[in-house]
Amino acid sequence: MTTEIMFFNRDKFVNVTHYPKRVTIPSKVPITGPFRDQGGGLRWETMRDVSGTTFYMEVIFFDESNYYGTLKVKDQPSFEYTSRYKDCLWDSYTDHYFIDQGVFLVPKSMVTELTY
């Protein structure tokens, strides 16, 4: 016998029994969250990585369309600047943003490699 865990979200029940603990986020997928710029300021924005970096997210919550969680770099290609600035989202080949603070969100439909 399995137990279903449900919670009421707005106007319907959502089953939270089976959700991924980790998801992989390919490059160019829009990621929204508190990006830290080179000067240390936090910016809440939606950005896409252009460098070919693959991310993973430790999922802490989800809703109908998004996963929410902490973001880490899974695989970052090597080019001139990545050796100096690791674990960043590159929105151009010269502008990077650190992903070390806060909770990010990513569309469910655009993630791969769900780990339960």
Side-chain angles (χ1 to χ4, degrees):
M1 184 171 121
T2 60
T3 302
E4 298 284 318
I5 301 170
M6 309 280 284
F7 72 91
F8 195 70
N9 185 10
R10 296 188 193 115
D11 59 347
K12 66 181 178 180
F13 282 98
V14 177
N15 186 334
V16 297
T17 306
H18 305 288
Y19 70 93
K21 302 297 182 214
R22 179 186 285 189
V23 296
T24 299
I25 305 164
S27 185
K28 297 191 173 74
V29 168
I31 300 171
T32 303
F35 294 96
R36 187 168 54 87
D37 63 26
Q38 295 91 332
L42 286 176
R43 304 167 59 167
W44 184 268
E45 290 193 31
T46 299
M47 297 188 182
R48 296 172 188 255
D49 181 83
V50 299
S51 70
T53 301
T54 303
F55 301 91
Y56 72 86
M57 175 183 281
E58 297 288 339
V59 178
I60 58 174
F61 179 73
F62 69 96
D63 61 23
E64 289 180 7
S65 46
N66 299 305
Y67 288 118
Y68 300 81
T70 56
L71 204 58
K72 301 287 183 207
V73 169
K74 182 176 182 180
D75 181 42
Q76 191 164 42
S78 182
F79 64 93
E80 181 182 357
Y81 298 108
T82 57
S83 60
R84 281 189 278 165
Y85 305 108
K86 301 208 180 286
D87 298 336
C88 294
L89 179 140
W90 294 81
D91 73 336
S92 73
Y93 284 98
T94 57
D95 292 332
H96 62 282
Y97 296 89
F98 298 97
I99 56 168
D100 58 355
Q101 298 179 8
V103 174
F104 295 82
L105 69 96
V106 65
K108 281 182 168 181
S109 62
M110 301 182 110
V111 300
T112 61
E113 295 181 32
L114 284 67
T115 304
Y116 289 87

